[in-house]
Amino acid sequence: MNFNAEGILENGGKLYTETANRNPVYGEDIIRIRGKYYREWDPKRSKLSAAIRKNLRFFPANSKSSILYLGASTGTTVSHLSDICRNGKINAVEKAYEPFSKLLKLSESRNNIYPILEDALKIEKYSHFIDKPEILYQDIAQRNQAQIFNEVSSHFKSIESGILIVKVRAVTSRRGNEDILKSQLEGIENYRVKQLVDLSPYSIANYLAVLS
Ligand SMILES: C[S@@+](CC[C@H](N)C(=O)[O-])C[C@H]1O[C@@H](n2cnc3c(N)ncnc32)[C@H](O)[C@@H]1O
């Protein structure tokens, strides 16, 4: 791992995000270095952290980024993006009520997370809450992953880049990983793959694609 991006620290072989909020979100360690606080970013709990450990070269987010995040769950990865995009915002869409209730609680202690309880494909129900997102982050285990990415990214013309987690086993168990991955990526419209990262051993049969 040799990674350098605003708001992210590599220390002792572990990754951290610099945080203004000293409460752990999912039991992670918090350390203090030269008066600043950092939350450990667990690669087994967050695919974005796993991708960095697997030599992600293109990291589109910075302190001012505006992210539309689909499949936010309880907010594990969202919380680290909230640290990194401290002057930006994360619109976090989650359709299941149980994880959403934790996401909602998380958003109460952070001023840049805007949680939305909705199905990502029902764009007309949430698009009016969202102002010019620049990055689309999608982590949804459904057969139509590419379709969701295409429909949402073509709706929001401001989206410049994407991070797509391709979950091959959610598509079918009847074909090989490489074959499914290829067909999913070929199904992406209007964006090209800048980098593809196999997330194993942290996350099996999942890949992270950086799109622009
Ligand atoms: C693997 S979890 C996401 C983990 C999260 N991205 C993280 O790194 O912390 C996938 C989530 O996507 C949600 N989901 C699945 N289909 C969805 C849809 N159509 N719209 C919104 N959320 C969806 C699920 O309820 C689940 O919470």
Side-chain angles (χ1 to χ4, degrees), residues 8-40:
I8 302 175
L9 170 77
E10 190 188 329
N11 184 52
K14 293 179 176 176
L15 278 176
Y16 296 83
T17 52
E18 186 183 337
T19 189
N21 191 313
R22 288 187 237 159
N23 298 319
V25 173
Y26 55 99
E28 73 280 14
D29 281 343
I30 297 183
I31 59 170
R32 185 170 176 228
I33 298 176
R34 288 188 284 281
K36 290 182 177 171
Y37 290 87
Y38 299 87
R39 294 171 52 233
E40 189 179 349

Side-chain angles (χ1 to χ4, degrees), residues 41 45-48 69-79 93-97 99-100 116-122 126 137-142 144 148 165 167 206:
W41 196 2
R45 301 287 297 272
S46 169
K47 298 176 197 82
L48 187 52
Y69 192 116
L70 309 178
S73 189
T74 56
T76 302
T77 300
V78 166
S79 70
V93 180
E94 170 54 51
K95 78 168 183 184
Y97 186 75
F100 180 82
I116 297 167
L117 177 63
E118 195 48 81
D119 183 327
L121 266 178
K122 296 189 177 158
Y126 64 86
Y137 189 112
Q138 180 178 311
D139 182 7
I140 285 181
Q142 289 203 357
N144 57 344
I148 297 172
I165 309 294
K167 301 173 165 234
N206 291 328

